[in-house]
Amino acid sequence: MTPGFRPYTGIRVLDLTHNLARYATRLFADLGAEVIRVEPPGGLPDRARDTADVPGGPETFAFHNASKQSVVLELGGNEGRAAFADLVRGAQVVFLERGGPLGANDIPWLRDLNRTATITHVSPYGLGGPMQDAPASDLTLQSAGGIAWMTGRGDEPPLRLPGGQSAMVVSVYAAVATAVCLFDAETRGRGHILDVSAQEAIAHSLQNAIQVWDLERRISHRAGEGTRDASENIYECRDGHVFLASPPTTGVSWKGLLGWMAEVGHPSLAPFSEPQWLDRKYRSKPEARAAFKPLFEAFTRNFTRQELVENALKRRIVMAPVSRVHDVLGDPQLAHRQYFVRLGEGGPRFPGAPYKMSEPVWGVSPPPALGQHDAPAARG
């Protein structure tokens, strides 16, 4: 690879997103694309929304808009619209989002300006259908897409995944689909219009619920398909929680667990040595879950998370710590891989590249101030 060259060097992306798709455009920016936020005089909605008065707001804005540029154009006036048209003619991608300065009605105009561009429109429910204009939030999108039903414990209400996951999921889908269309545009010289629905992106990401229906004609139960065995759960320890998965099918893990209890002489060994714990059907029953938890926690409460995980690794027991945010920030594995980066000197730490490549193609820079790049962008 040519030194200094990055996958999307020379690609211009016009970014009119403010919520659901702003991470998608950042993915292109981190790989070298010239991503230009085209903002009205007061800024796109996320500038006002992510203010210093909102806890974590400035950091949220910085994370989603790092590596981008910003120009200010009044798209409601002839002069601003003409300047934007010049930008479109030199762009390869235009990202739109419902509630932004331009919407679905502007797609034909954009298409006429640049027949080879990829125009990606992201919205809660897509263009068309009875929910096209329905209000939406992260909670309602996760619920409508089904992931809230799959999340949480089976005996408790549905649970919203934290961290604005509807926006992250649809951004990844939108970015991948746009990259495919961009490749086709470069090789065949034809443009594309993409209609990306956040609800549909989430519905496509429901663990293995789709496969369960396809193969077994069965609707997945609450809490998903991954915790059928009594041992698969989160358990308390001395300083937090750990996750264990030691069903009989992973014989090494189960034998390692019993061997550990035998070494330390823990009283839970005796009941766990009874033959019913080798019976898969028994271990999938509610009474088995109810019996397993107090027996196992009587053992784990004697150890810290670190002690449990270190012993589990030695004994090939499938166990992991349940990390809190500050635990992740200090994680030695992530520190070794230099995962966290700073945006600017003395800036906050953020997650780094979501991938590792053989060439240094990923880069990040601080988010732009409003209108910071007006002059260079105006030259088109």
Side-chain angles (χ1 to χ4, degrees):
M1 180 177 291
T2 304
F5 182 84
R6 296 160 72 190
Y8 291 112
T9 296
I11 297 298
R12 172 177 288 178
V13 178
L14 301 183
D15 181 8
L16 287 81
T17 69
H18 56 89
N19 182 23
L20 292 175
R22 56 185 179 160
Y23 182 62
T25 53
R26 190 200 142 174
L27 289 172
F28 285 96
D30 288 346
L31 288 172
E34 180 192 29
V35 177
I36 304 173
R37 278 172 58 95
V38 180
E39 309 194 57
L44 286 164
D46 56 341
R47 283 195 185 270
R49 185 174 67 242
D50 297 335
T51 65
D53 296 331
V54 179
E59 291 79 12
T60 298
F61 179 86
F63 173 79
H64 288 96
N65 294 294
S67 307
K68 301 179 185 180
Q69 300 180 16
S70 171
V71 303
V72 173
L73 293 175
E74 177 53 80
L75 298 182
N78 292 334
E79 184 178 346
R81 204 166 178 87
F84 180 70
D86 287 340
L87 289 175
V88 173
R89 293 186 185 99
Q92 287 73 40
V93 179
V94 181
F95 262 90
L96 306 177
E97 182 177 336
R98 195 182 81 175
L102 298 179
N105 293 335
D106 296 291
I107 292 177
W109 174 60
L110 298 173
R111 181 75 161 158
D112 288 339
L113 289 171
N114 189 336
R115 305 294 295 183
T116 62
T118 295
I119 302 168
T120 301
H121 186 279
V122 180
S123 61
Y125 298 104
L127 300 175
M131 298 291 287
Q132 174 179 347
D133 299 318
S137 66
D138 183 52
L139 174 61
T140 60
L141 285 173
Q142 288 196 34
S143 300
I147 194 64
W149 169 257
M150 302 293 297
T151 308
R153 297 180 181 274
D155 57 350
E156 296 178 1
L159 185 66
R160 181 181 72 90
L161 290 169
Q165 289 299 305
S166 60
M168 299 303 290
V169 170
V170 71
S171 275
V172 170
Y173 275 77
V176 170
T178 301
V180 172
C181 291
L182 180 59
F183 178 79
D184 185 70
E186 291 180 329
T187 55
R188 301 190 186 188
R190 60 184 185 183
H192 295 269
I193 298 173
L194 283 174
D195 172 14
V196 186
S197 158
Q199 181 195 24
E200 292 178 13
I202 294 167
H204 197 265
S205 309
L206 299 180
Q207 301 175 20
N208 59 349
I210 304 301
Q211 293 86 344
V212 168
W213 173 257
D214 185 47
L215 298 174
E216 303 180 25
R217 287 295 184 267
R218 177 173 58 82
I219 296 176
S220 294
H221 61 76
R222 278 281 292 117
E225 294 294 320
T227 56
R228 294 181 178 182
D229 188 85
S231 72
E232 296 175 290
N233 211 331
I234 294 173
Y235 301 97
E236 288 187 15
C237 62
R238 186 187 297 171
D239 61 347
H241 296 80
V242 292
F243 174 79
L244 173 74
S246 288
T249 50
T250 58
V252 173
S253 183
W254 180 246
K255 290 178 183 178
L257 180 60
L258 296 189
W260 186 8
M261 290 182 175
E263 286 181 26
V264 299
H266 196 273
S268 291
L269 174 64
F272 277 146
S273 299
E274 294 175 1
Q276 70 264 26
W277 290 108
L278 297 178
D279 181 356
R280 289 182 61 188
K281 290 185 178 179
Y282 169 74
R283 290 176 62 134
S284 65
K285 294 180 179 179
E287 55 263 37
R289 288 178 175 275
F292 189 97
K293 185 177 176 66
L295 289 172
F296 186 64
E297 288 187 335
F299 175 70
T300 56
R301 288 194 179 105
N302 296 303
F303 302 94
T304 65
R305 287 180 302 162
Q306 184 69 21
E307 291 168 341
L308 287 167
V309 171
E310 287 178 355
N311 276 278
L313 286 171
K314 285 194 304 183
R315 304 165 195 276
R316 301 177 68 185
I317 301 169
V318 182
M319 184 186 296
V322 177
S323 297
R324 294 156 291 195
V325 173
H326 71 269
D327 298 324
V328 174
L329 291 173
D331 183 88
Q333 174 68 16
L334 295 177
H336 174 81
R337 290 175 60 82
Q338 299 179 324
Y339 175 65
F340 290 103
V341 298
R342 291 195 182 275
L343 292 185
E345 186 175 350
R349 280 200 300 168
F350 283 113
Y355 40 73
K356 289 286 185 182
M357 295 186 180
S358 57
E359 300 289 340
V361 298
W362 184 88
V364 66
S365 58
L370 181 62
Q372 181 177 340
H373 304 87
D374 277 355
R379 291 195 291 267

